[in-house]
Amino acid sequence: MAEETGTGTGAKLAVVCGNGSLPSEVLAAAHEAGRDPLAIGIKGEAAASIEAFSPALWFDWGEIGKLVTALKRNDVRDLVLIGGVSQRPDFRSILGDFGTMRRLPRILKALRKGDDGLLKAVIMLFEEEGFHVIGAHEIAPTLLASAGPVGRHVPDQDAMRDLELALTAARTLGGLDIGQAAVAVNGRVIATEAAEGTDGMLRRCIDLKREGRVRWKGRAGVLAKCVKPGQELRVDLPSIGPETVDHAVRIGLAGIAIDAGHVLIANRAETIARADREGLFLFGLDEPDAKRDGTGDA
Amino acid sequence: MAEETGTGTGAKLAVVCGNGSLPSEVLAAAHEAGRDPLAIGIKGEAAASIEAFSPALWFDWGEIGKLVTALKRNDVRDLVLIGGVSQRPDFRSILGDFGTMRRLPRILKALRKGDDGLLKAVIMLFEEEGFHVIGAHEIAPTLLASAGPVGRHVPDQDAMRDLELALTAARTLGGLDIGQAAVAVNGRVIATEAAEGTDGMLRRCIDLKREGRVRWKGRAGVLAKCVKPGQELRVDLPSIGPETVDHAVRIGLAGIAIDAGHVLIANRAETIARADREGLFLFGLDEPDAKRDGTGDA
């Protein structure tokens, strides 16, 4: 139900788009569901392809006040925030308009926190303005990884041991709100993710191998990517995609393990096709157990 | 103390030297203590300066058998292993001589383990040959960090909070035998160490800041460097030095926290002088508490 004119069959939906292919996929799924979404591009992040169905509105970090005004003018009630953000905005770039100024104390507070604190503060900010922030997976549930093998290949015994090691590291780091991914090879965790992000960590693994700091022959080892306990699933679902598979192949990993139901697969067909072709397994881990849910605050 | 006749007042000491300035410092301390040490250089790692007092013997990774023979011929009983190793040896480079071949199964097993497992296996290997492996700090105790401020500057309240965060991350990773260092800035852990080593992690922090993935003004944040629970202190004491201070300055950190009594300070005078000049604090953390000792296996 639209706020002011109420002509639609559902509440008006806007998709705030960061980088990567996921924003376009969520927009496409919303169109298929008849939601006629409004695309909002973050300048310098979102791809031009978000305009595939209708023109997008584009905003800078410094235009949060303008964005809120535009959302209200378009009768938007539901909001999806999806896609990556390559840079945290700095103080100057968000000092753009009056609306931003008014929200500044909360924004500054958010910028000083860990990822999770930042994203929760962003949600709170939008909800205080009367919007309803929903998860991308609520609009496009088929993007979520399912449990068990995704694709043709399955982990062997060595890979299962590395999977457990990487998983323990990723979940432990997640519990400290540091990162959500780790790589283990032949019984040793060789990389853990913090502010560099998963791609940064994977590029480091490629360097470590090239420099001879880690060595192995053939395919071995696992990238585990998890949700953090208490992670804000509405705006911060971890994701993998074709590039993740490419990185894993370059490192020489045997496969990738992800939390089923909590990790998005961008460009799913292509991601699975590349993994299948390269002999890499993709494995969806069972739903996080009760203990993990209990340690979070979401 | 002659080499072959064994007329000395103490057991003959050999110092197996990796890279960095610590090997020369340990050799100098041993000379001062009248131990007349035999310097053993690892080719491609040890500096020429290890020959300051007497000629060194040089060995390749592939010459472990030859090394053991030379140590025995020189009546060596005590052995110190000190300095960094920039590359883990690969299988081919240790297939050098017959002595290595005989020890190969154990060496291969060691190479597949985490750092700690590797080093413990190396010690075991030498002790099985009848040598007594001792810690560098037993020869050169003044290299160890003391508790409290080391140098002129002290952490403020913000730095103490970051210190706690970095310390928790470093000790948690240490407990999983992943790494022993972490960096926290303004309430957020931005980097954790795994196979890249502490210098690699610090260079990443410089990149993260340059690329805008982390942002702050002025000096903030702390590098914490700890021992792992159960760490093999005889051959793997963590160390900092002038380059660590240089990295911290380039990142824009407020200071460095290290486990007192368990972290070596290489080139101590220069390290402290640079930190003092740059306004950086060096802080020795109290001895690891009972709980930590209880979780280790050493």
Side-chain angles (χ1 to χ4, degrees):
Chain A
M1 311 313 135
E3 273 190 11
E4 286 173 283
T5 52
T7 55
T9 53
K12 181 69 178 173
L13 168 73
V15 179
V16 179
C17 303
N19 61 37
S21 68
L22 281 169
S24 294
E25 295 184 70
V26 171
L27 283 166
H31 268 280
E32 259 171 55
R35 294 288 310 253
D36 185 26
L38 174 67
I40 307 284
I42 300 173
K43 285 183 192 170
E45 300 286 356
S49 58
I50 64 167
E51 309 212 51
F53 299 99
S54 60
L57 300 177
W58 293 84
F59 293 92
D60 241 323
W61 283 115
E63 303 174 325
I64 295 177
K66 269 192 208 165
L67 168 59
V68 168
T69 305
L71 292 173
K72 288 183 176 170
R73 199 185 314 119
N74 282 276
D75 286 339
V76 169
R77 206 194 65 185
D78 290 346
L79 212 55
V80 169
L81 297 103
I82 183 72
V85 172
S86 61
Q87 298 204 345
R88 290 193 164 213
D90 72 3
F91 295 166
R92 274 161 309 177
S93 72
I94 56 170
L95 288 173
D97 64 10
F98 185 74
T100 304
M101 286 297 284
R102 189 160 54 80
R103 295 170 183 90
L104 197 60
R106 273 172 293 159
I107 294 170
L108 289 181
K109 205 173 154 205
L111 283 170
R112 289 176 67 97
K113 292 190 173 183
D115 275 341
D116 216 46
L118 174 65
L119 292 162
K120 279 178 186 160
V122 167
I123 289 183
M124 211 187 305
L125 214 145
F126 279 113
E127 298 216 313
E128 279 177 17
E129 299 286 345
F131 302 107
H132 182 214
V133 177
I134 58 178
H137 55 296
E138 296 174 54
I139 301 293
T142 56
L143 293 175
L144 286 174
S146 49
V150 182
R152 257 196 310 132
H153 303 285
V154 293
D156 64 12
Q157 210 180 340
D158 283 347
M160 282 309 296
R161 179 202 51 181
D162 288 338
L163 190 158
E164 286 296 330
L165 276 173
L167 192 60
T168 299
R171 291 195 168 158
T172 303
L173 289 167
L176 297 171
D177 196 16
I178 293 174
Q180 53 197 15
V183 174
V185 184
N186 288 334
R188 180 185 179 209
V189 175
I190 64 164
T192 53
E193 177 201 1
E196 75 276 22
T198 305
D199 281 352
M201 180 193 68
L202 293 175
R203 281 191 294 269
R204 179 163 80 252
C205 290
I206 296 170
D207 291 342
L208 287 170
K209 204 168 177 196
R210 200 184 47 223
E211 293 160 8
R213 290 194 72 101
V214 295
R215 292 174 195 276
W216 69 93
K217 293 261 187 282
R219 287 286 172 73
V222 177
L223 159 68
K225 186 147 183 176
C226 307
V227 288
K228 301 180 210 173
Q231 182 156 349
E232 178 45 76
L233 299 178
R234 283 176 294 171
V235 298
D236 191 29
L237 280 182
S239 66
I240 64 163
E243 301 76 22
T244 320
V245 172
D246 290 348
H247 282 313
V249 168
R250 286 188 64 195
I251 299 167
L253 296 181
I256 299 172
I258 47 185
D259 269 336
H262 293 84
V263 173
L264 297 170
I265 304 183
N267 203 341
R268 188 186 191 91
E270 179 60 23
T271 300
I272 295 174
R274 284 195 206 182
D276 282 354
R277 193 169 62 230
E278 297 285 352
L280 205 91
F281 70 78
L282 300 175
F283 194 82
L285 303 159
D286 280 331
E287 298 281 325
D289 57 52
K291 199 180 92 228
R292 282 177 71 206
D293 289 346
T295 59
D297 55 352
Chain B
M1 279 159 269
E3 277 191 6
E4 285 175 283
T5 52
T7 56
T9 55
K12 181 71 178 172
L13 169 73
V15 179
V16 179
C17 304
N19 62 38
S21 68
L22 281 169
S24 294
E25 296 184 68
V26 171
L27 283 165
H31 269 281
E32 258 170 58
R35 294 287 310 253
D36 186 25
L38 174 66
I40 307 285
I42 300 173
K43 285 183 191 170
E45 300 285 357
S49 58
I50 64 167
E51 311 213 50
F53 298 99
S54 60
L57 301 177
W58 293 83
F59 294 92
D60 242 322
W61 284 116
E63 301 174 327
I64 295 178
K66 269 193 209 166
L67 167 60
V68 168
T69 306
L71 292 173
K72 288 181 177 169
R73 200 187 315 121
N74 283 278
D75 284 339
V76 169
R77 207 194 64 186
D78 291 345
L79 211 56
V80 169
L81 297 103
I82 183 72
V85 172
S86 61
Q87 296 203 346
R88 287 191 167 216
D90 72 4
F91 295 169
R92 274 162 308 178
S93 72
I94 56 171
L95 288 173
D97 65 11
F98 185 75
T100 304
M101 286 297 284
R102 190 162 52 81
R103 296 170 183 90
L104 198 59
R106 274 172 293 160
I107 293 171
L108 288 181
K109 204 173 154 205
L111 283 170
R112 290 175 66 96
K113 291 191 176 184
D115 275 341
D116 216 46
L118 173 66
L119 292 162
K120 279 178 185 160
V122 167
I123 290 184
M124 211 185 305
L125 213 145
F126 278 113
E127 299 216 314
E128 279 176 17
E129 299 286 347
F131 301 107
H132 182 215
V133 177
I134 59 178
H137 56 295
E138 295 175 56
I139 301 294
T142 57
L143 293 175
L144 286 175
S146 50
V150 183
R152 253 193 317 129
H153 304 285
V154 293
D156 64 13
Q157 209 178 341
D158 283 347
M160 282 309 295
R161 180 203 50 182
D162 287 337
L163 190 157
E164 286 295 330
L165 276 173
L167 193 60
T168 300
R171 290 195 170 159
T172 303
L173 288 167
L176 297 171
D177 195 17
I178 294 175
Q180 52 196 16
V183 174
V185 184
N186 289 334
R188 181 186 179 207
V189 175
I190 64 164
T192 53
E193 177 201 4
E196 75 275 23
T198 305
D199 281 352
M201 180 192 69
L202 293 175
R203 281 192 293 270
R204 179 163 81 250
C205 290
I206 296 170
D207 291 342
L208 286 170
K209 204 170 177 193
R210 200 185 47 222
E211 294 161 7
R213 289 194 73 102
V214 295
R215 292 174 194 275
W216 69 92
K217 293 261 186 282
R219 287 286 173 75
V222 178
L223 160 68
K225 186 147 183 177
C226 305
V227 288
K228 300 181 211 173
Q231 182 155 351
E232 178 46 76
L233 298 178
R234 283 176 295 171
V235 298
D236 190 30
L237 279 182
S239 67
I240 64 163
E243 301 75 23
T244 321
V245 172
D246 290 348
H247 282 313
V249 168
R250 286 188 64 195
I251 299 167
L253 297 181
I256 298 171
I258 46 185
D259 269 336
H262 293 84
V263 174
L264 298 171
I265 304 183
N267 203 340
R268 188 187 190 91
E270 179 61 24
T271 301
I272 294 173
R274 284 194 207 182
D276 282 354
R277 194 170 60 230
E278 296 285 352
L280 205 89
F281 69 79
L282 301 174
F283 194 82
L285 303 160
D286 280 332
E287 298 281 325
D289 56 52
K291 198 180 91 227
R292 283 177 71 205
D293 287 346
T295 58
D297 56 351

